[in-house]
Amino acid sequence: MGWKAFVIIVNNPLQIDNESLLRELGFKNLTKIEDEPFEVAIYPKDNAIYIGNYKDNLLICESNAPMQFFEDAQTKTEKVLTKQFPISEICSIVLHSVVNLWGYSIIKDGQKIRARAGSAEDGTFVDIGEPIEEEAELFSKATINENGVRTYLFEDIDDEPMTEDQVGENFVFAIWKRYFGEELDRADDLLFETILTGYSYDNNTKKIDSTEQKNTSGKIDQKPWWKFW
């Protein structure tokens, strides 16, 4: 995996003031910074957030907010966005090649219909909802062993079966096509050249200070999965 991406997609959004939206999401003390093309904004620096539109989709790029879509309970980020865009489909995607982190989450009509995420260290640790159309081709290449471990075999790759964290990137690319008509790694230059408006914000207003977080079993993890950097 070689991609790093942290993006929230709001499909066919209602018109809204972008700065007001960011403040409601919890980004305080916004300060205008240099605008950047999507190819830069897709992997934003700390304390930076970028927002703009492409092909009838609102794009929000920030390193923490997309992570909030993979919790069992609805987070503030999800609540704000579903309130502001009640008839829009809302998708979060995350990729980080250093640890094979991957994930995608889709909210439709205010309900989370699909969410999957994983990493090299933890395997697939989020799997919510039923498979959707965009996943079908990749799932057709998978087998599940007696231990419930899923592996993938690609005819054009003469190698050992691939683990799910090695294929997670492919799933994220396929989900991207749901909104833009083409997979992320095959997108044309118009996407990557699209300029997004940039802001910095006070890190203390968005930072999650606790190093403890409940996992799906209700226990406390000392090292939350999203703390990979």
Side-chain angles (χ1 to χ4, degrees):
M1 299 175 74
W3 285 71
K4 297 176 182 178
F6 296 84
V7 185
I8 296 173
I9 304 162
V10 181
N11 183 239
N12 293 318
L14 299 172
Q15 287 190 342
I16 189 171
D17 179 75
N18 286 347
E19 284 196 25
S20 296
L21 174 63
L22 295 181
R23 292 190 184 96
E24 188 165 355
L25 285 169
F27 296 98
K28 307 300 183 183
N29 300 325
L30 291 171
T31 302
K32 189 71 181 65
I33 59 174
E34 184 177 358
D35 299 341
E36 296 286 1
F38 180 70
E39 66 177 346
V40 174
I42 191 174
Y43 182 48
K45 297 178 180 179
D46 290 343
N47 297 15
I49 186 166
Y50 298 91
I51 188 167
N53 292 80
Y54 180 74
K55 286 191 175 181
D56 297 321
N57 293 278
L58 178 67
L59 299 173
I60 304 172
C61 301
E62 197 269 334
S63 60
N64 185 60
M67 304 288 199
Q68 306 306 308
F69 286 70
F70 302 101
E71 303 296 335
D72 290 335
Q74 192 179 47
T75 63
K76 176 184 177 181
T77 298
E78 293 174 304
K79 289 178 181 178
V80 169
L81 290 175
T82 53
K83 176 185 176 182
Q84 293 294 337
F85 306 103
I87 61 174
S88 297
E89 193 165 290
I90 303 168
C91 175
S92 171
I93 68 167
V94 297
L95 287 173
H96 199 292
S97 60
V98 173
V99 290
N100 272 16
L101 173 71
W102 61 277
Y104 51 92
S105 176
I106 298 172
I107 293 174
K108 184 175 183 179
D109 298 326
Q111 299 296 320
K112 188 174 296 180
I113 64 169
R114 190 67 167 134
R116 298 182 75 237
S119 69
E121 180 178 355
D122 300 315
T124 301
F125 48 78
V126 175
D127 193 338
I128 299 171
E130 297 298 321
I132 58 177
E133 179 182 354
E134 288 76 15
E135 299 170 312
E137 182 177 354
L138 286 166
F139 277 141
S140 71
K141 304 178 186 300
T143 58
I144 301 177
N145 66 19
E146 64 276 9
N147 297 318
V149 177
R150 183 184 284 117
T151 56
Y152 298 79
L153 188 62
F154 293 84
E155 295 179 357
D156 57 340
I157 300 178
D158 184 18
D159 205 344
E160 295 293 323
M162 300 178 71
T163 58
E164 190 143 76
D165 68 282
Q166 294 174 309
V167 183
E169 184 177 83
N170 301 73
F171 277 102
V172 172
F173 292 161
I175 297 300
W176 187 267
K177 187 176 180 180
R178 181 180 179 94
Y179 306 101
F180 300 96
E182 54 194 357
E183 296 189 3
L184 179 59
D185 62 330
R186 300 178 182 177
D188 60 35
D189 290 341
L190 289 177
L191 167 64
F192 295 104
E193 294 172 357
T194 296
I195 301 298
L196 302 188
T197 303
Y199 299 91
S200 65
Y201 61 88
D202 182 352
N203 188 53
N204 291 327
T205 65
K206 286 297 293 184
K207 183 177 180 181
I208 301 176
D209 295 319
S210 175
T211 58
E212 295 186 341
Q213 181 153 320
K214 289 185 178 180
N215 61 27
T216 56
S217 67
K219 297 179 180 179
I220 297 294
D221 289 329
Q222 294 299 321
K223 182 181 179 182
W225 65 267
W226 43 262
K227 282 186 165 295
F228 56 86
W229 54 80

